[in-house]
Amino acid sequence: MGSISRSTAENDRPSSNGNLQPNHEATDDVDPPAPNGHSAGIPSENDAPRKRRTPGLLPLEVGTRVLCRWRDGKYHPVKVIERRRILSGPNDYEYYVHYTEFNRRLDEWVKLEQLDLDTVETDVDEKVEDKATSLKMTRHQKRKIDETHVEGHEELDAASLREHEEFTKVKNIATIELGRYEIETWYFSPFPPEYSDTLKLFFCEFCLNFMKREGQLQRHMRKCDLKHPPGDEIYRSGTLSMFEVDGKKNKVYGQNLCYLAKLFLDHKTLYYDVDLFLFYILCECDDRGCHMVGYFSKEKHSEESYNLACILTLPPYQRKGYGKFLIAFSYELSKKEGKVGTPERPLSDLGLLSYRGYWTRVLLDILKKHKSNISIKELSDMTAIKADDILSTLQSLDLIQYRKGQHVICADPKVLDRHLKAAGRGGLEVDVSKLIWTPYKEQG
């Protein structure tokens, strides 16, 4: 899969649907808010000028803006993205809406009775509307929206972005069942055409084959002899296990994993040629088997020294430190390979936040313990972090100066402590003594 994204979820307590209300792991450490800002009501005369529809002019057109009652019982501004007929009358439509203040993962089908038809508007000047919306939001909400507005699409030009959004605008799969969880999906994933009429898919949590009906899954589980991902176990510490899966040796598994991951990663390119990738599957293990909680992928051969291509923690397992663990694990592999690594670019805003947190914790821990002068190259050799990433991290913390033609690290202990506290906890530790792994080139 393509560049990094950190998909995140709201909480880690398993619920009846296995999902705790949304995203971005693209991850589990930084999360945009769910709608909570607006209550029902008709806009006042001070709002931006707009034309109104009467409730009699149904069905609503695609592009219509209106207030919609969300699952919190409050009304929020939405834009109609698509509609579909469920019966034969003008009122017999469902509408696929985008909550304009929030990430696309909250988009959903709603019924007519959820819409406040007194607030219907069309032909709104987009700039005026955006300004009016901005005035209604708190600065915290606005910052969160700015962080995720083009999340992960930095590599796309305007035309490509429009094409991407048009093709993926409507979620095709609403929920999946994976192991003991039923999980609400966040985004479109290009499953084969025969699954286009399916709102729920049932996944085998071990081989990742997917089916339309629960009965099919039950029959499959009686035949499937896998109790863990189909690869080599390279790490086991307590109940945590990591498996390396070669995309060439396990092509169907790799492709199914990409289909699954795309449901929770907005901007990923889906690679059908998984031969070029290795997948590292993190599992929680019990007497029933090894249950996938997340994964990252990396190219077998990267000229740009990328040590991670795509990363995902599944929603029921987010906010448990697994995303940080996966990042740390990718660098431990780089150390074993004897070379520096960096995540595939471009990084989304939230992906950069997650990595910047990891880089900060690792680098400042070393600076605190290291009493003598230390160079950028020495830090890179010790951590396997690319020199450019070290430099940008220290510059962002104002811990580096350029004197007499060279960079000098300024490591005041109190300043280091303050930055470490701001970076937060490091998550689960990777016990390197439990890692038994041979780099791919040596395997060949």
Side-chain angles (χ1 to χ4, degrees), residues 28-271:
D28 63 344
D29 303 322
V30 186
D31 214 20
N36 59 5
H38 293 274
S39 59
I42 299 174
S44 70
E45 293 179 357
N46 294 327
D47 283 344
R50 59 197 71 183
K51 295 181 183 179
R52 300 201 179 281
R53 283 182 181 268
T54 64
L57 293 179
L58 294 173
L60 298 178
E61 298 290 340
V62 170
T64 298
R65 294 175 183 268
V66 64
L67 291 180
C68 178
R69 188 178 70 252
W70 196 62
R71 62 191 75 175
D72 62 357
K74 297 179 181 179
Y75 282 80
H76 305 276
V78 300
K79 181 178 181 180
V80 176
I81 302 299
E82 191 57 270
R83 69 184 188 188
R84 64 187 180 194
R85 187 187 294 271
I86 51 177
L87 292 173
S88 57
N91 297 349
D92 299 327
Y93 279 82
E94 288 183 324
Y95 298 93
Y96 194 78
V97 299
H98 167 60
Y99 294 88
T100 55
E101 298 172 345
F102 302 99
N103 189 282
R104 287 177 60 210
R105 74 190 58 139
L106 293 177
D107 294 3
E108 62 181 349
W109 287 102
V110 300
K111 299 185 182 302
L112 183 64
E113 55 262 31
Q114 293 174 249
L115 304 175
D116 181 357
L117 296 181
D118 288 335
T119 65
V120 170
E121 59 188 61
T122 57
D123 299 334
V124 178
D125 184 293
E126 293 292 335
K127 293 181 180 178
V128 173
E129 179 67 12
D130 289 345
K131 183 177 179 181
T133 301
S134 296
L135 292 174
K136 297 175 186 176
M137 289 185 284
T138 66
R139 280 180 293 178
H140 175 74
Q141 288 174 318
K142 185 67 169 64
R143 177 173 57 81
K144 284 293 187 181
I145 294 163
D146 290 342
E147 286 175 357
T148 59
H149 184 60
V150 290
E151 175 181 305
H153 299 296
E154 295 83 351
E155 77 278 20
L156 300 181
D157 57 32
S160 299
L161 183 58
R162 284 194 298 272
E163 182 180 358
H164 166 82
E165 290 181 344
E166 177 64 26
F167 181 66
T168 65
K169 65 181 182 181
V170 178
K171 252 183 286 188
N172 50 341
I173 306 296
T175 59
I176 63 168
E177 185 172 304
L178 182 70
R180 63 192 180 100
Y181 291 104
E182 183 177 84
I183 311 171
E184 291 183 5
T185 63
W186 295 346
Y187 302 111
F188 171 90
S189 182
F191 283 89
E194 57 266 33
Y195 296 91
S196 60
D197 60 346
T198 306
L199 292 179
K200 181 177 180 178
L201 286 180
F202 297 84
F203 279 80
C204 170
E205 64 173 327
F206 301 118
C207 71
L208 296 188
N209 282 348
F210 47 88
M211 303 112 205
K212 290 184 176 183
R213 290 179 290 278
E214 186 174 12
Q216 292 176 305
L217 175 63
Q218 291 171 348
R219 289 193 295 273
H220 168 85
M221 294 303 292
R222 287 194 289 268
K223 299 177 183 177
C224 184
D225 55 3
L226 280 179
K227 294 299 178 185
H228 56 74
D232 298 325
E233 186 177 22
I234 62 173
Y235 180 88
R236 174 71 73 98
S237 179
T239 59
L240 274 189
S241 184
M242 185 76 82
F243 289 82
E244 180 184 67
V245 179
D246 188 328
K248 186 174 184 179
K249 296 177 182 177
N250 300 278
K251 183 172 293 191
V252 173
Y253 181 91
Q255 291 175 343
N256 290 345
L257 177 59
C258 291
Y259 281 127
L260 172 63
K262 183 65 186 68
L263 292 169
F264 304 100
L265 301 174
D266 184 14
H267 64 284
K268 291 302 163 205
T269 302
L270 190 65
Y271 287 105

Side-chain angles (χ1 to χ4, degrees), residues 165-426:
E165 290 181 344
E166 177 64 26
F167 181 66
T168 65
K169 65 181 182 181
V170 178
K171 252 183 286 188
N172 50 341
I173 306 296
T175 59
I176 63 168
E177 185 172 304
L178 182 70
R180 63 192 180 100
Y181 291 104
E182 183 177 84
I183 311 171
E184 291 183 5
T185 63
W186 295 346
Y187 302 111
F188 171 90
S189 182
F191 283 89
E194 57 266 33
Y195 296 91
S196 60
D197 60 346
T198 306
L199 292 179
K200 181 177 180 178
L201 286 180
F202 297 84
F203 279 80
C204 170
E205 64 173 327
F206 301 118
C207 71
L208 296 188
N209 282 348
F210 47 88
M211 303 112 205
K212 290 184 176 183
R213 290 179 290 278
E214 186 174 12
Q216 292 176 305
L217 175 63
Q218 291 171 348
R219 289 193 295 273
H220 168 85
M221 294 303 292
R222 287 194 289 268
K223 299 177 183 177
C224 184
D225 55 3
L226 280 179
K227 294 299 178 185
H228 56 74
D232 298 325
E233 186 177 22
I234 62 173
Y235 180 88
R236 174 71 73 98
S237 179
T239 59
L240 274 189
S241 184
M242 185 76 82
F243 289 82
E244 180 184 67
V245 179
D246 188 328
K248 186 174 184 179
K249 296 177 182 177
N250 300 278
K251 183 172 293 191
V252 173
Y253 181 91
Q255 291 175 343
N256 290 345
L257 177 59
C258 291
Y259 281 127
L260 172 63
K262 183 65 186 68
L263 292 169
F264 304 100
L265 301 174
D266 184 14
H267 64 284
K268 291 302 163 205
T269 302
L270 190 65
Y271 287 105
Y272 295 97
D273 184 8
V274 295
D275 293 15
L276 305 178
F277 290 86
L278 296 168
F279 299 91
Y280 295 89
I281 318 298
L282 180 62
C283 298
E284 286 183 352
C285 302
D286 57 26
D287 55 359
R288 296 183 299 113
C290 298
H291 315 282
M292 182 176 74
V293 304
Y295 85 103
F296 71 89
S297 60
K298 64 180 289 188
E299 290 182 273
K300 293 176 179 176
H301 306 287
S302 173
E303 295 180 1
E304 297 86 357
S305 300
Y306 293 147
N307 64 355
L308 186 147
C310 182
I311 183 170
L312 171 70
T313 305
L314 290 169
Y317 300 98
Q318 292 179 353
R319 295 204 176 279
K320 294 184 176 182
Y322 288 135
K324 296 172 183 175
F325 181 90
L326 290 169
I327 291 175
F329 200 93
S330 70
Y331 278 101
E332 293 303 333
L333 296 187
S334 293
K335 292 175 186 176
K336 286 272 189 178
E337 291 173 311
K339 55 187 182 184
V340 298
T342 190
E344 185 174 314
R345 299 311 199 265
L347 282 169
S348 69
D349 287 341
L350 294 177
L352 178 58
L353 282 175
S354 298
Y355 264 91
R356 186 59 58 78
Y358 170 80
W359 294 329
T360 297
R361 287 186 295 272
V362 170
L363 296 173
L364 298 198
D365 276 339
I366 293 175
L367 292 178
K368 278 193 68 175
K369 298 171 184 175
H370 205 86
K371 301 303 180 183
S372 58
N373 292 334
I374 188 169
S375 68
I376 300 291
K377 184 181 184 308
E378 288 171 323
L379 283 172
S380 182
D381 292 340
M382 294 169 68
T383 63
I385 300 173
K386 199 171 183 179
D388 290 345
D389 296 331
I390 295 175
L391 190 58
S392 67
T393 300
L394 295 180
Q395 285 175 334
S396 72
L397 300 172
D398 290 328
L399 292 178
I400 198 163
Q401 297 179 6
Y402 194 71
R403 298 175 184 169
K404 298 180 180 179
Q406 61 182 353
H407 290 102
V408 178
I409 299 172
C410 306
D412 179 87
K414 292 182 180 179
V415 175
L416 296 181
D417 287 337
R418 188 172 71 247
H419 286 311
L420 276 171
K421 184 177 180 180
R425 293 178 296 124

